[in-house]
Amino acid sequence: MTILKEIIDGIAIVADAIKNINEIHTAIKDGKKYFEKAHPEIKQDVIGMCAELQKTCNAIATASSVITNFKFNSSAGALDGEPTRFNNYFISYKTNKNEAEDLIRSLKGHCYIIREHAEKITQGKAEMFWSFFGLQSQQRETDLGALLQQIYNDEASFFTIVYHMAQCMNSAIEDVTNSLTIDCMMHSSKVPAAALKLNEYSAAFKKLELLSEDARDAIDATIQELQ
């Protein structure tokens, strides 16, 4: 399996988590008018849940942008300094493989806070949660209940997502670094090949970045409407 394929597969796992968050947010948004009228007492807890979901989307978008924001410069006079500029830009991720995980964990939402808000809404009766949103579909309530359970009752799954995201970032950075190297030294003659490789990785990360940004911004709009 190529490094690019491994990275694409890892990104797909992270993207699935964002899609799950999107489904939960859509259900909250669909039930907004109902619970504001029928259960206004839960509004602050819904806002709190949304804020934590938004943090996770933002964390993934921010981490993705680390890869997508860098572009090599092939202009006359700039090429010789590009290996050093690349090295300086990514140095924290190359010198410490835990840096990427630390970045994502510091920004992501907390599953236990989501659970606390959900339990406050239902007074501990998780099976009743989606009934507060007037969704009028038992099957949809069941499906959404499973997604919510996965998010707030399985912190380990989010550590797995953080791990996959960090591994994807590190693999991309290391592969581009290796493509810049001749006899253990970075060389400007290798910049064109490295740029092509970085563009491939950036394209994969860009899809995840946009997905996460869209989810983050949509949740933020709902939070603003509820405040």
Side-chain angles (χ1 to χ4, degrees), residues 154-165:
D154 191 4
E155 186 79 28
S157 69
F158 274 84
F159 281 119
T160 299
I161 290 165
V162 170
Y163 170 80
H164 278 292
M165 186 65 188

Side-chain angles (χ1 to χ4, degrees), residues 66-193:
V66 170
I67 304 295
T68 62
N69 281 352
F70 187 91
K71 297 290 186 292
F72 284 106
N73 185 353
S74 62
S75 301
L79 197 61
D80 286 346
E82 285 303 278
T84 299
R85 188 170 72 88
F86 174 86
N87 186 67
N88 289 340
Y89 181 82
F90 287 114
I91 194 164
S92 65
Y93 299 99
K94 291 191 297 180
T95 57
N96 184 351
K97 288 181 180 295
N98 293 324
E99 288 287 337
E101 289 191 51
D102 290 344
L103 167 68
I104 301 166
R105 285 201 181 100
S106 70
L107 295 173
K108 72 176 285 295
H110 295 290
C111 303
Y112 74 88
I113 295 178
I114 295 172
R115 178 171 185 151
E116 286 175 359
H117 285 297
E119 289 184 344
K120 186 176 178 183
I121 288 171
T122 62
Q123 297 182 340
K125 299 176 182 177
E127 71 277 3
M128 292 175 53
F129 180 82
W130 292 109
S131 66
F132 283 79
F133 296 82
L135 300 178
Q136 299 180 340
S137 169
Q138 185 60 52
Q139 184 59 52
R140 192 179 184 199
E141 286 188 21
T142 300
D143 293 343
L144 288 166
L147 288 177
L148 187 61
Q149 185 77 20
Q150 180 179 331
I151 284 178
Y152 71 61
N153 199 38
D154 191 4
E155 186 79 28
S157 69
F158 274 84
F159 281 119
T160 299
I161 290 165
V162 170
Y163 170 80
H164 278 292
M165 186 65 188
Q167 285 297 108
C168 288
M169 293 171 66
N170 286 326
S171 294
I173 293 165
E174 289 180 1
D175 195 34
V176 175
T177 300
N178 290 336
S179 69
L180 280 168
T181 303
I182 301 176
D183 295 330
C184 300
M185 296 181 65
M186 286 187 166
H187 200 280
S188 59
S189 66
K190 303 292 287 184
V191 167

Side-chain angles (χ1 to χ4, degrees), residues 27-41:
I28 290 173
K29 187 175 180 180
D30 288 348
K32 176 177 171 292
K33 289 183 180 179
Y34 177 85
F35 75 74
E36 281 189 306
K37 182 178 180 179
H39 300 286
E41 73 279 2

